[in-house]
Amino acid sequence: MKRLISMLMIPLVVGLFSSISLAQLTGRDIMEKVSERGNVKTEFGKSKMTLINNKGKIREREVIRYQKSYNGKDGIDTKALIFFEYPADIRGTGLLLWSYQATDKDDDRWLYLPALKKIRRIAGESKNEYFMGTDFTYDDMGDRNIDEDTHKLLGREKIDGVECYKVESVPVGKDDQYAKKITWVIPEKWVFQKVEFYDKNGKLQKVLTASDVREVNGIWTPFVLFMDNLSKTHQTRIEIQEVKYNGELNDQIFTQTTLQRGNVQ
Amino acid sequence: MLCGIIRLGYAEVQFHGYVMNHSAIRDQSPYDALLLRNRLRLNSELTGDNVYAYASVDFLNDAVVGDSTALNLREAYLDVYSSWVDFRVGKQQVVWGKADGYFINDIVNPLDLSLFLLQDFDDIRMATTMLNTKIHHGNNSLEVLVIPEFKPMKINYSGNWGFNRPDSFNIAAANLNIPIVYNTDELPKSSLRNLEYGLKLNTFLLGTDISLIYLKAREDKPVMQKEIEFITMPVVGLVPTGVQVTPTHPWFTFYGLNFSRPFGAFVFRGEGGYYPKRYFDFIPPDFSQLNSGLLKEKPFLQGMLGMDYQLTSQIDLSVQGIQERVLDYEEAIMTDEVNTISSLMLRGSFANDTVLPLWLMLYDITNKSYQSRVSLDWKYSDSFTITVGTDILGGDKETTYGQFNFGQFDKNDNLYLKLVFGF
């Protein structure tokens, strides 16, 4: 009986302590924890994107992504390389992204188009452009620096039966595409359950939900992301097929040579 | 997904491609077909550890161009790569330029202009056999090309897309009213002495991509050597009786550079090229220079400045200004001393990249000729794309010199339709 009590008590006490410390968290603290959860040294992932239009018609994309964190080495925050594997008409299309720690420095971006056999520079400022027909903008896909927004904890709220922190994030810069974002974050896992994106008129523009959260190499990872673009009546579902954290990724992967070659050494 | 995947031990073989119908109809009398082409393209890829092989084959049937049912090996190469050096050997395309729709640095592969610009650029550029070595470190690299195969530019002087013959203009302008005999193309033989080679140094400096280029190669576009035949007449002396025109492919040396750099919402691009010696048709001022082949050697300079800008999240704008200049110019040279071309491209992307309109305008300011292309791609599904478009060409019909001479195809305004089923 004592053993049963202790078994029940330990989580209760831990929960009590953690709820006391968590109660003191600010909106920024919470978003920092979300950001830190994603702070892995390297990431490799394969995913399937399903694009659904207002008539229910489906298009698919298969994507491979490599990412490496540089933690400010030479001013670089992260480098990422993305290749499209499917469908045939965009197969081989690649995107190389270098994002910097300085919030006032635009990302460097290169796009390789196999039909032209040419690498094109993309303006780093074009963050608001939708990524390859999906409902995710380049900014949604990249690592947004936490200080590009001010964060305010609005309280706690249950989403699909899960108690979450509700945080409002307002961009510091005026050129941002969204007026604000509201994020519901699952405590302990520090994974968002839902994000609402509001446009400049304060109208709800997009809703992103995460599900099928699994622990991979000690990191909680949503395996399904669903973006409902209300303004375009279009939806994108991203299903992670394979993900690996903190494996060995050579720096040479994140170069124009690999982007053009299309194969990772 | 219809494309096939076969696993062979550590390697994986994939097959994909498309079936395409491409039709173009002249939009003025006689309203005939300029192109009725069916194509099956089959691409295969083999991927292994640090090894990759690619082959692309076209089965083509063209109902307008005679006897053109053909099997064409477009590209076939093998990649072997490591963390510091890549090798690509085989039939391949190498793109060195930054310009859209114009070829200044992008001169490694010869062009197929048999349908002028009606084909996709991927088809206009013809793959050649070469060894391409790239030594790389970060975003810096050195490319070394060794090209044993010479392939001339594919160009017609008759038919719907027949170019004006500059040599006939040249001979007529020289007031030589004599019979012309056209000889066959003098193609260089494959030998060590005829190896073409090139170097390209790429670097990323202060946020700018910069490339320096050196190329030693032969002219893909034939240089027309004109040999005048004489007889000696009493009293008047030497009298020209005929001319032999022979397409030749002399060596050239090329120095180039290009760059691209974003500034805020803009991306600036540029490229330049310098030939210490190129051959230009000229009108000899007197008989003593008739044995020059009616050609003059002069240095030649080309440059392009371009800018890309995202007008809205769905519309991109690109503008380019291009100038070519014959240095140490002489009035007797038939090419203009300066040739200026501008281009404008508006590209849209609507309905989540399923509706893609395009307007591309190339305007030759010097010769007042132009090509305007308006097209719309509709991606009906992942595997089926419909493209409708129109090309309007105009300007001086007598235009002969310059890279494209749009005016000579003034009668070829057309409407086109492409149906592509990918697999």
Side-chain angles (χ1 to χ4, degrees), chain B residues 48-84:
Chain B
D49 288 343
N50 295 351
V51 174
Y52 171 80
Y54 177 79
S56 177
V57 180
D58 267 355
F59 300 89
L60 274 175
N61 172 262
D62 198 318
V64 176
V65 182
D67 69 351
S68 66
T69 300
L71 174 65
N72 177 21
L73 179 65
R74 293 180 61 253
E75 288 179 272
Y77 55 77
L78 172 72
D79 283 357
V80 180
Y81 48 91
S82 72
S83 59
W84 66 276

Side-chain angles (χ1 to χ4, degrees), chain B residues 117-128:
Chain B
L117 302 180
L118 195 59
Q119 302 186 90
D120 295 333
F121 276 103
D122 191 35
D123 293 317
I124 287 173
R125 197 183 297 109
M126 295 188 287
T128 36

Side-chain angles (χ1 to χ4, degrees), chain A residues 51 57-62 85-91 96 98 100 106-108 110 113-135 229 232 234 236 250-252 254-258 260-261 263-265, chain B residues 1 3 14 16-17 45 47 50 52 74-75 79 81-83 86 88 93 95 97-100 122 125 134 136-139 141 204 207-209 260-262 264-267 269 308 310 313-314 316 318 347 351-354 379-382 385 422-423:
Chain A
L51 284 56
K57 199 168 166 185
I58 282 173
R59 291 186 297 145
E60 289 178 344
R61 308 265 178 273
E62 285 180 9
E85 296 248 291
Y86 178 84
D89 65 336
I90 57 166
R91 181 182 166 77
L96 175 64
W98 289 11
Y100 296 90
D106 288 329
D107 296 352
D108 280 313
W110 296 266
L113 299 165
L116 299 176
K117 292 188 165 55
K118 198 186 271 192
I119 293 176
R120 288 189 82 101
R121 281 299 281 274
I122 308 174
E125 262 196 9
S126 57
K127 291 177 176 179
N128 304 343
E129 194 176 342
Y130 283 101
F131 178 70
M132 300 298 285
T134 69
D135 294 289
N229 192 334
K232 294 173 79 176
H234 194 275
T236 301
N250 192 318
D251 288 341
Q252 198 57 34
F254 304 97
T255 62
Q256 293 184 53
T257 299
T258 311
Q260 187 154 23
R261 187 207 298 138
N263 286 293
V264 170
Q265 184 263 333
Chain B
M1 201 190 301
C3 63
Q14 293 199 34
H16 52 92
E45 294 178 79
T47 311
N50 295 351
Y52 171 80
R74 293 180 61 253
E75 288 179 272
D79 283 357
Y81 48 91
S82 72
S83 59
D86 290 13
R88 174 169 290 180
Q93 292 187 18
V95 181
K98 299 276 185 210
D100 291 329
D122 191 35
R125 197 183 297 109
K134 187 186 262 191
H136 48 88
H137 179 74
N139 258 354
S141 60
F204 180 64
T208 310
D209 290 306
S260 67
R261 193 198 198 291
F266 296 88
V267 174
R269 297 177 280 122
D308 304 326
Q310 193 182 13
S313 62
Q314 293 173 314
D316 293 324
S318 294
R347 255 185 320 209
N352 289 74
D353 281 3
T354 55
K379 292 180 183 265
Y380 176 76
S381 70
D382 280 337
T385 303
F423 58 89

Side-chain angles (χ1 to χ4, degrees), chain B residues 33-259:
Chain B
L34 294 174
L35 185 69
L36 286 174
R37 173 177 281 181
N38 293 305
R39 178 208 301 259
L40 166 65
R41 176 165 295 176
L42 190 60
N43 303 320
S44 58
E45 294 178 79
L46 183 146
T47 311
D49 288 343
N50 295 351
V51 174
Y52 171 80
Y54 177 79
S56 177
V57 180
D58 267 355
F59 300 89
L60 274 175
N61 172 262
D62 198 318
V64 176
V65 182
D67 69 351
S68 66
T69 300
L71 174 65
N72 177 21
L73 179 65
R74 293 180 61 253
E75 288 179 272
Y77 55 77
L78 172 72
D79 283 357
V80 180
Y81 48 91
S82 72
S83 59
W84 66 276
V85 64
D86 290 13
F87 298 100
R88 174 169 290 180
V89 61
K91 195 173 179 183
Q92 58 190 285
Q93 292 187 18
V94 173
V95 181
W96 276 1
K98 299 276 185 210
D100 291 329
Y102 212 78
F103 299 85
I104 296 174
N105 286 176
D106 189 6
I107 53 169
V108 174
N109 297 104
L111 304 181
D112 177 358
L113 294 178
S114 57
L115 292 169
F116 195 51
L117 302 180
L118 195 59
Q119 302 186 90
D120 295 333
F121 276 103
D122 191 35
D123 293 317
I124 287 173
R125 197 183 297 109
M126 295 188 287
T128 36
T129 304
M130 66 182 92
L131 170 64
N132 183 350
T133 305
K134 187 186 262 191
I135 301 158
H136 48 88
H137 179 74
N139 258 354
N140 306 307
S141 60
L142 175 68
E143 292 176 57
V144 182
L145 303 181
V146 179
I147 312 165
E149 180 192 24
F150 176 79
K151 197 184 276 182
M153 177 185 279
K154 211 168 166 184
I155 188 169
N156 293 329
Y157 292 110
S158 60
N160 286 327
W161 297 102
F163 278 67
N164 289 335
R165 287 201 75 111
D167 37 281
S168 57
F169 275 80
N170 187 196
I171 292 160
N175 289 320
L176 293 168
N177 190 17
I178 48 178
I180 303 171
V181 176
Y182 292 108
N183 295 322
T184 52
D185 208 335
E186 275 186 3
L187 296 178
K189 288 172 186 156
S190 292
S191 70
L192 270 178
R193 287 181 61 190
N194 281 330
L195 276 183
E196 297 180 354
Y197 53 94
L199 299 168
K200 182 166 172 253
L201 180 68
N202 309 301
T203 188
F204 180 64
L205 198 65
L206 302 171
T208 310
D209 290 306
I210 302 167
S211 298
L212 299 173
I213 293 168
Y214 172 82
L215 184 66
K216 183 81 179 174
R218 286 179 176 272
E219 295 277 4
D220 302 326
K221 187 177 181 181
V223 171
M224 298 297 187
Q225 192 74 32
K226 283 134 283 189
E227 194 177 328
I228 316 281
E229 292 161 340
F230 298 92
I231 55 165
T232 307
M233 297 283 282
V235 186
V236 288
L238 286 174
V239 174
T241 55
V243 58
Q244 303 264 342
V245 176
T246 309
T248 63
H249 301 276
W251 285 100
F252 70 83
T253 306
F254 176 81
Y255 302 93
L257 74 95
N258 63 58
F259 72 90

Side-chain angles (χ1 to χ4, degrees), chain A residues 172-234:
Chain A
V172 175
K174 288 177 182 170
D175 295 335
D176 208 278
Q177 61 183 319
Y178 307 116
K180 67 173 179 184
K181 281 181 279 187
I182 296 178
T183 308
W184 284 261
V185 178
I186 307 170
E188 273 87 48
K189 291 180 180 173
W190 304 113
V191 173
F192 67 84
Q193 177 90 346
K194 181 178 162 185
V195 187
E196 289 181 348
F197 301 81
Y198 290 84
D199 66 15
K200 297 281 187 194
N201 300 318
K203 197 174 164 190
L204 181 60
Q205 187 182 346
K206 299 195 294 191
V207 179
L208 175 64
T209 47
S211 57
D212 191 11
V213 180
R214 299 182 216 165
E215 196 172 11
V216 180
N217 305 127
I219 294 156
W220 290 102
T221 307
F223 270 62
V224 176
L225 297 170
F226 186 80
M227 181 72 95
D228 191 359
N229 192 334
L230 304 168
S231 62
K232 294 173 79 176
T233 55
H234 194 275

Side-chain angles (χ1 to χ4, degrees), chain A:
Chain A
M1 185 69 184
K2 258 181 141 179
R3 186 178 162 81
L4 182 61
I5 290 168
S6 69
M7 280 173 70
L8 288 169
M9 281 298 286
I10 291 167
L12 187 66
V13 170
V14 171
L16 192 64
F17 271 108
S18 58
S19 62
I20 290 165
S21 59
L22 293 180
Q24 294 164 345
L25 290 175
T26 64
R28 192 187 182 284
D29 293 336
I30 293 163
M31 296 313 285
E32 193 167 24
K33 283 184 177 291
V34 173
S35 176
E36 279 171 0
R37 179 199 59 85
N39 272 354
V40 291
K41 199 177 161 197
T42 65
E43 180 182 339
F44 163 76
K46 279 187 178 182
S47 53
K48 182 177 164 184
M49 296 176 167
T50 307
L51 284 56
I52 309 153
N53 76 4
N54 56 358
K55 290 172 185 158
K57 199 168 166 185
I58 282 173
R59 291 186 297 145
E60 289 178 344
R61 308 265 178 273
E62 285 180 9
V63 173
I64 295 181
R65 178 187 172 99
Y66 302 85
Q67 184 163 315
K68 187 166 185 174
S69 178
Y70 285 80
N71 297 317
K73 188 185 168 195
D74 298 327
I76 291 170
D77 188 18
T78 56
K79 291 182 181 178
L81 182 66
I82 299 166
F83 287 123
F84 282 80
E85 296 248 291
Y86 178 84
D89 65 336
I90 57 166
R91 181 182 166 77
T93 300
L95 183 70
L96 175 64
L97 305 165
W98 289 11
S99 63
Y100 296 90
Q101 279 210 324
T103 52
D104 58 346
K105 185 166 182 183
D106 288 329
D107 296 352
D108 280 313
R109 296 162 189 211
W110 296 266
L111 179 70
Y112 177 70
L113 299 165
L116 299 176
K117 292 188 165 55
K118 198 186 271 192
I119 293 176
R120 288 189 82 101
R121 281 299 281 274
I122 308 174
E125 262 196 9
S126 57
K127 291 177 176 179
N128 304 343
E129 194 176 342
Y130 283 101
F131 178 70
M132 300 298 285
T134 69
D135 294 289
F136 292 82
T137 61
Y138 282 92
D139 205 22
D140 297 335
M141 300 286 290
D143 277 349
R144 188 173 173 86
N145 191 305
I146 190 168
D147 290 321
E148 286 184 67
D149 302 283
T150 55
H151 308 278
K152 183 179 163 190
L153 177 62
L154 299 179
R156 294 181 80 144
E157 201 172 287
K158 271 194 174 175
I159 295 283
D160 297 332
V162 181
E163 180 88 4
C164 296
Y165 286 112
K166 186 179 178 184
V167 179
E168 181 187 76
S169 304
V170 177
V172 175
K174 288 177 182 170
D175 295 335
D176 208 278
Q177 61 183 319
Y178 307 116
K180 67 173 179 184
K181 281 181 279 187
I182 296 178
T183 308
W184 284 261
V185 178
I186 307 170
E188 273 87 48
K189 291 180 180 173
W190 304 113
V191 173
F192 67 84
Q193 177 90 346
K194 181 178 162 185
V195 187
E196 289 181 348
F197 301 81
Y198 290 84
D199 66 15
K200 297 281 187 194
N201 300 318
K203 197 174 164 190
L204 181 60
Q205 187 182 346
K206 299 195 294 191
V207 179
L208 175 64
T209 47
S211 57
D212 191 11
V213 180
R214 299 182 216 165
E215 196 172 11
V216 180
N217 305 127
I219 294 156
W220 290 102
T221 307
F223 270 62
V224 176
L225 297 170
F226 186 80
M227 181 72 95
D228 191 359
N229 192 334
L230 304 168
S231 62
K232 294 173 79 176
T233 55
H234 194 275
Q235 297 160 333
T236 301
R237 184 178 194 270
I238 299 180
E239 186 185 336
I240 293 175
Q241 295 172 319
E242 188 183 340
V243 66
K244 197 191 288 179
Y245 297 114
N246 296 325
E248 192 60 40
L249 288 183
N250 192 318
D251 288 341
Q252 198 57 34
I253 289 172
F254 304 97
T255 62
Q256 293 184 53
T257 299
T258 311
L259 175 68
Q260 187 154 23
R261 187 207 298 138
N263 286 293
V264 170
Q265 184 263 333

